[in-house]
Amino acid sequence: MVSKRKLSKSDAHGDSLTAELPQTKKSRISCKEKTSAEDGAVENDSIFVQLIKTAGITLNAGERQNDIVSKSLLPLFAAYGSTHYTHASTLLTYTCMCRAGRMLEDSVDQATFQKKLCQILRKHPFYPHVVQEFVSGLETHIKDRDQFRNCLLPCAPVRGEVTRNLVHSYCESLIKLLLGIETLQPAVITLLLEKLPEFFFDTVGTFGTNFPRLIVNQFKWLDKILDSKDLIMKLMQMVSVSPAPIQHDIITSLPEILEDSQQSEFAREVSQLLKRDTRLTVPILDALSNLDLDAGLLAEVISALRKNLDLSSCILPLQILSSQSKLKSQPQTSSSTSQVSSSQNCVKLLFDVIKLAVRFQKGISEAWIKAIENTVSLSDHKVLDLIVLLLIHTTNTKSRKQIERVLRNKIPLGCVPEQLLQSAFRNHSLVIKDFFPSILSLAQTFLHSADPCVVSFGSCMYKQAFSAFDSYCQQEVVSALVTHICGGNDVEVDISLDVLTDLVTLHTSSLIRYATFVKNILDYTEKLNPQQIRKLFYILGELAFSQRQEDSYIQDDMHMVIRKWLSSTVPKYKQMGIIGAITVAGSMASKRSKEDRCSLERTQQSEEHCRQLSILLDLVSYCCEQSPEALALYYDELANLIEKQKGNLDSQILERIGKSVVEDFSNDFVVDLTPVVDGVHLFPVKSLYNLDEDESQGTIVINLLPLLSQNWLGKSVDEMATRNQGKKIVSPECLCPSFRLLRLYTTEQHNGSMEEIDALLGCPLYLTDLEIEGKLGSLAKQEREFLCSLLFHALNWFREVVNAFCQQQDLEMKGKVLTRLQNITELQNMLGKCLAASPGYVLPPAIFDCEALEAAPTVNAVGLVKKKKTGGKKQKSEGSKDSSADHSQMEENPEGNQSEAETTQLEKDTTEKRSGIPLVQLQSYRAFFRELDLEVFTILHCGLLTKSILDSEMHTEAREIVQLGPAELVFLLDDLCQKLEHILMPPAAKRAPFLKQGKDCRNIGFSHLCQRSSQEVAQCAVELLKPLCSHMENMHNYFQALITENEEVVDGPRVNIQEHQLLSSCYQQLLQVFRLLFAWSGFSQRENSDLLRSALKVLADRLKPGETEFLLLEDLISESFHYLLNFQHSVPNFQCALTLTQLLIVIAEKPVASWKKDKIASLAKQFLCQSWMQPSGMREKGSQFSDALHTLLCVYMEHTDNILKAVEDISSVGVPELINSANDGYSSTYPTLTRQTFPVFFQVMMAQLENSVRSIPAGKPSDSREVQLEKLLHWNMAVRDFHILVNLVKVFDSRPVLSICLKYGRLFVEAFLKLAMPLLDYSFKKHREDVQSLLKTLQLSTRQLHHMCGHSKIHQDLGLTNHVPLLKKSLEQFVYRVKAMLAFNHCQEAFWVGILKNRDLQGEEILSQDSEENDPGEGVSQLPREDPAEEEGDISGSEGGSEHNDDDEESSE
């Protein structure tokens, strides 16, 4: 019935089709369709309307949607027509109720409509012309916007009165249904794309509908697209010309339009689109997140996105922002802030898209991580990378370890600098805040790291989080920092306290809200060292006195704790109390001074502050009077307070401190010089080291020996009596701290002038006759120990005198300072001899703000004598200006005073007893010497000075040349090296072992230095570069002249051994200072870039004076590199050569250029090929030389362009030369290669060979023939080198060499199995001979490894047999892996296995087989023919036929 009606209508219409064509064509231009009512059905005689109606859809005009008729209603509509729609539905109410279940699936009706319309079109007599007419009718119909909208919106199912409340499924729009018909699809697509430009400039909402979005939505989720590629091309063309909102809609819809095969091409295309227009960032990311890409392409696309994505320009138009429902509720306050808010919101939208993709698609997060991880250039790392890593860390818990690893690797390289982190927090805090838990977790993890750069980055995360986030986050940050502090790890405690110090300085008002958390640290002070106690009380003091609240609970708690500690009899608690009290006093005094400047009306409050300060200081002074150590610490802390608060201390407090210290110092330690000293003393008193040459009446002297003798003899009786009387104990231990306080007070009061106390610079000391040669053995133990104490106190006095007067500009005073340096080197030499003769002696303390001094070593009879005679620090004092003058640096001084003559004699005597001058001081004695200030190194600027000798009438009697001699230069440079290493090489890199003995040993001797920042120390070192360069050039000239004078012979007859060793030590220390400075990680920070430039400019100026002002940084690096490279020909020993190489590496790393790498490799090889002789004529050797050789050889291997060639050169050229030489001979090509150093060469070559092959990519089936051949050549060379090295064990069969070969042999075989065997799988057929040769060579090596295993078991060497099981397992895997490779290439018949016999290293058969039969690792009963452990990788057969079987096995015939 239905089909008949349909055919009759078609036929009727078909008869008049030809006549109606002109009218229809005209109606497309001007006619308007008739409607039965304003919102009723469209009535028209066009082909389009009639066929649509026949197929089951009623077209409506106005606001009413088109109706789609259920399959069950189609017969009724055919009978009654659409005009009787209401009547028909009424008549069929009962029918609809009966068929309600079937009416719920309207999707069937949609399919029926498409099928029926398709049949009508195909069976029409004018097909295919009717299709064009149908589309023309559609075009005419959609000219009306309401009708076009109805065609784009979903159709409404027909409902009767009873079925009105029934649930119907979703119905597609008419356009989408037409797109589902293959015959209509191309024309409808073209029509829609032509209509789209009509709505380019319509604002959304003008006609109540977003037409562009509706049009694009029609292409989504089509069952089939005939020409998908053409459609995508047209849509992408539309993107290039359409406005931004339409671009957004098209791009985000494309993933639902694409076919699976087009996703890769589309991903690359939109990645390129992002380069041209960054405004499309969000839609492009949204589209990419909906694509299913393989891991490789995803990583490639994300890498491209990372390069093109710029968060600063990521601003979306307001139309898009308003369409985002998530952000509709966010208010925009004013026009000035709307743009910023839009930018922030846009970035948030961007990361919302990424977050969704990461959460629901596993590959996205892996691709992001891989893209960031594979980025090498520092400039390619952006804020986006850091935020994405935080996002993935928050969203994907499984990737957290991987994120931490990526950041740990990137941070030390400078790829993720702290500036990047600061930028992320500063510009994108709205986004970053969502990742706060991850930020906190990462910061806590980073603070546990051993890398100082990672630790610093973690601390920066804490600071940025506190400053950028709200109060909840701030509380969590403070809580985490307090947890670190209370945990007890020194590194974490120091970093956390530094972070809190920065926060209390920059954000005092914010931090004070969490003061209770910080105050709780007082309960865990047991784990804090004195330096940390000082930091803690500074933080608490700033919090307590930051607000003008005199009754603050923090103040009360601090005062209670301090009083408790001060009254304790335990030295540790008293020490903590003194440090805490003086630190709090500094906060109080500093705050009062600020208040006085702010307002003069606060006089009464200021007076109250002054009264509290006086009470606190009186309490500390009273509690310290009976303990010399406590009193000395009190003086030192007051001195630190004055130095730190320069110009900021209250004048009344300063006057009070100064009055007491001047009186105390004069009364306790200074007396008038008299010919005879009264009293009973252990040694005769003698005035020494007077520089004023005027011993007339009124000359003062430091009363050292009488005071020490009195303290030594009456220690038990007098001390108890003094304590009972309540008097202050006067001890020599307080001499230096008291003087330090005096001189800092003097400089503060007199603007740096020292005229008030300049007499102390040249005044003598009461000592005794120091001609101790041959007398020590006759002295009693008490006398020897007394003499040691006397020398210690005298040394420390001179060190403090140098600290005090080093910056004075008066030439006379400069000369005296240099003389005091000479006195220090003399006394150190004497002290070394006394210590060697005084076993068990406990040294007097000189630094009082460190704990666990009892952990410092006491004098050991055997160890100390050995150290002092062979490598102790006291040896550095040798070589005064008479005995070791540098002819290129200074003039000879034939005149000398009495002390210099004595020094010369002492140096000669010492030189006769020892063979060499040490390079560094004994670290264990640092706690017993007063610390030198950084200002002392300004002495390095001094050249030749003239010291005037005056007569009694103050007239110049004579002039004496004073200069900085080599011994004094070594002394200063050694101390400078220690300071730079301590402060510029962060503590995390030198983490103490778990079971460490001394908690604070690392900081002993650096208490003043630790109060300075690394930037200040680096600045000081940069200012010293000019004199350091001058000194190093002098050393260079000296050794160049020496080599020329002795005709290139180091041990020539005219070489002064003592002078040579002393200046070699100077050279070594100078190079070390340069290396420590330029290796400072702080140079990678942006705020220190100017400092780095200044340092490099100093070096570059030495080559091109006045031409470096406007050079770029890379040019400065290049010039500095060339300047330092010029010193290569004058280095006197191997240690200097290594230090110079390391210095050049540090310079070249900023940044590395290929030519620099080649230069370093060439330089390292030059040093390896150089014969290093001592001045005595002996070759350099020993453990220190071996360690340096190992390091330099590694440098050569790492910087050479071909490691395999370098290994082959040494093993094929150098080693045979060594084998053919005498027992004490060496290689002529590599003179550093001797029988003693062969294990060093062997270990480095094996390790570098194994590391090199791991960098060869594994073979892939997709590799071209050329790529496969190149990889085979690499492996062939590597296996050949491995074979040569393994066979060297036959000649050099020492235990270390065997151990190295077993260890790295296994690693090489494992690398071969993992990386080379996949290559052989796919290369066997193409390169059969190459593969066969490769396996044959390796088989010979594995056989030798098997012999080593047998040798280890026969000799029952536990150190060697530990390597055997894992090695045999690897050899077994090698056998079966080759068998699998042959099977893969259908050559398994060429494989057979025999039994290898146990042989020794020389290949001789081991006759006894008992151990072999009983060893479970030597046989497998289930495989009697193929015992892989027995044959140990001999994949070719038994021993008897091994040569023949090799060929059989590797063939594929």
Side-chain angles (χ1 to χ4, degrees), residues 76-175:
L76 292 177
F77 277 99
Y80 290 94
S82 59
T83 55
H84 304 286
Y85 166 75
T86 306
H87 181 60
S89 61
T90 304
L91 291 176
L92 293 179
T93 298
Y94 178 75
T95 304
C96 291
M97 291 176 62
C98 294
R99 301 179 181 179
R102 287 184 295 171
M103 291 177 62
L104 295 179
E105 294 295 335
D106 292 322
S107 60
V108 177
D109 302 332
Q110 299 175 41
T112 303
F113 166 79
Q114 290 177 324
K115 181 178 179 181
K116 185 177 290 294
L117 182 59
C118 183
Q119 290 176 351
I120 293 173
L121 291 173
R122 288 184 180 278
K123 294 179 181 180
H124 199 280
F126 294 98
Y127 180 81
H129 186 71
V130 69
V131 175
Q132 181 181 355
E133 182 66 21
F134 182 88
V135 175
S136 299
L138 172 62
E139 182 180 0
T140 303
H141 179 75
I142 62 177
K143 283 185 178 180
D144 183 88
R145 289 182 178 267
D146 290 339
Q147 294 175 175
F148 187 26
R149 183 201 60 226
N150 292 339
C151 291
L152 295 173
L153 293 175
C155 296
V158 176
R159 305 188 182 203
E161 294 180 359
V162 178
T163 62
R164 188 168 297 156
N165 296 326
L166 294 178
V167 179
H168 292 263
S169 63
Y170 177 77
C171 296
E172 298 289 356
S173 67
L174 173 62
I175 295 295

Side-chain angles (χ1 to χ4, degrees), residues 8-23:
S8 63
K9 279 183 176 263
S10 300
D11 291 339
H13 185 71
D15 294 338
S16 60
L17 182 61
T18 306
E20 292 178 357
L21 279 177
Q23 295 181 1

Side-chain angles (χ1 to χ4, degrees), residues 1434-1452:
D1434 182 18
I1435 57 175
S1436 59
S1438 65
E1439 282 293 324
S1442 60
E1443 295 299 325
H1444 173 71
N1445 294 331
D1446 281 348
D1447 296 332
D1448 290 345
E1449 182 181 41
E1450 305 305 335
S1451 66
S1452 59

Side-chain angles (χ1 to χ4, degrees), residues 768-786:
T768 188
D769 185 10
L770 296 179
E771 292 288 343
I772 57 177
E773 281 300 320
K775 299 180 181 179
L776 289 174
S778 61
L779 298 177
K781 177 182 177 182
Q782 184 183 22
E783 292 174 334
R784 290 196 301 268
E785 292 182 353
F786 176 84

